[in-house]
């Protein structure tokens, strides 16, 4: 327990879902390489050697697309509820970090329906609004909203003897 109010009541890390793990992609790429080599040999034998160039370009394009995909997967958001504040930290793929701090008592959790398939989850305090979890699915955003509202409710209704509350004189 710290006198500076750094005890954490909630510590969430949000990150985009990736269906293919890097080690599985490596296996997939090796299988595709074997298939392309076999196809290249076949095309070379029948005299269609220019096709080999395009098979190699296809493999390079596939590797590059997954490279960008995994690089983008490094995006994450951290949401912390401490004794004194609600902190949102957003880490970009390039390592750049943005941070916002909210007073938990007055923070509102909002979800706005954009269209039939999309919604937007945000935290707001007075004129400051931060969209969070933009990479999450709509159902995941609703669950996150419920989780945040529950934790903020618990935070607001702490007993006076709990950490973070100033005893009355």
């Amino acid at each position: 327990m710290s006198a500076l109010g750094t005890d954490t009541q909630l510590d969430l890390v949000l990150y985009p879902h990736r269906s293919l793990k890097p080690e599985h992609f490596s296996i997939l790429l090796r299988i595709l390489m074997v298939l392309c080599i076999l196809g290249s040999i076949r095309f070379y034998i029948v005299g269609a050697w220019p096709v080999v160039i395009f098979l190699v370009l296809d493999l390079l394009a596939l590797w590059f697309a997954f490279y960008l995909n995994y690089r983008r997967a490094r995006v994450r958001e951290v949401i912390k509820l401490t004794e004194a504040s609600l902190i949102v930290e957003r880490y970009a793929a390039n390592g750049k970090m943005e941070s916002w701090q909210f007073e938990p008592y007055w923070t509102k959790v909002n979800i706005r329906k954009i269209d039939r398939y999309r919604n937007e989850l945000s935290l707001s305090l007075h004129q400051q609004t931060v969209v969070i979890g933009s990479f999450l699915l709509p159902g995941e955003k609703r669950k996150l909203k419920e989780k945040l509202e529950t934790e903020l409710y618990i935070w607001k209704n702490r007993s006076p003897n709990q950490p973070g509350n100033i005893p009355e004189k």
Side-chain angles (χ1 to χ4, degrees):
M1 191 175 306
S2 171
L4 298 174
T6 57
D7 284 346
T8 304
Q9 176 180 330
L10 176 69
D11 194 359
L12 297 174
V13 179
L14 309 175
Y15 53 89
H17 174 72
R18 297 291 180 234
S19 58
L20 187 63
K21 295 180 181 177
E23 53 270 9
H24 295 150
F25 169 67
S26 176
I27 293 168
L28 176 67
L29 193 61
R30 288 178 187 150
I31 291 170
L32 289 175
M33 285 175 62
V34 168
L35 291 175
C36 284
I37 289 171
L38 293 174
S40 297
I41 292 170
R42 172 84 172 138
F43 283 117
Y44 187 77
I45 289 172
V46 295
W49 60 267
V51 175
V52 174
I53 297 169
F54 291 103
L55 288 174
V56 171
L57 289 175
D58 280 346
L59 275 176
L60 288 174
L62 183 67
W63 173 82
F64 185 68
F66 272 94
Y67 168 77
L68 291 177
N69 185 10
Y70 289 121
R71 185 171 186 272
R72 188 165 159 86
R74 287 185 265 171
V75 171
R76 71 181 191 280
E77 293 177 359
V78 178
I79 301 171
K80 294 179 185 177
L81 179 59
T82 66
E83 292 178 12
S85 62
L86 176 66
I87 302 165
V88 177
E89 297 171 343
R90 181 176 296 144
Y91 297 88
N94 63 3
K96 181 182 172 192
M97 193 260 293
E98 295 177 280
S99 182
W100 297 270
Q101 191 165 341
F102 295 90
E103 164 60 48
Y105 193 82
W106 301 107
T107 301
K108 290 189 176 21
V109 184
N110 304 308
I111 197 158
R112 181 177 67 92
K113 188 173 183 176
I114 296 173
D115 59 29
R116 185 175 175 188
Y117 303 105
R118 297 182 303 153
N119 56 21
E120 181 180 82
L121 179 63
S122 63
L123 296 172
S124 59
L125 175 66
H126 306 302
Q127 299 300 318
Q128 180 184 18
T129 300
V130 176
V131 175
I132 59 172
S134 59
F135 43 77
L136 298 175
L137 296 173
E140 293 172 331
K141 290 178 187 176
R142 285 189 292 274
K143 287 179 184 176
L144 178 59
K145 178 184 187 279
E146 291 171 9
K147 174 79 172 165
L148 289 171
E149 285 176 336
T150 301
E151 293 297 331
L152 287 171
Y153 178 81
I154 291 169
W155 187 93
K156 291 174 188 176
N157 294 300
R158 306 178 283 185
S159 69
N161 296 332
Q162 284 186 315
N165 291 335
I166 301 170
E168 296 179 17
K169 293 183 181 179

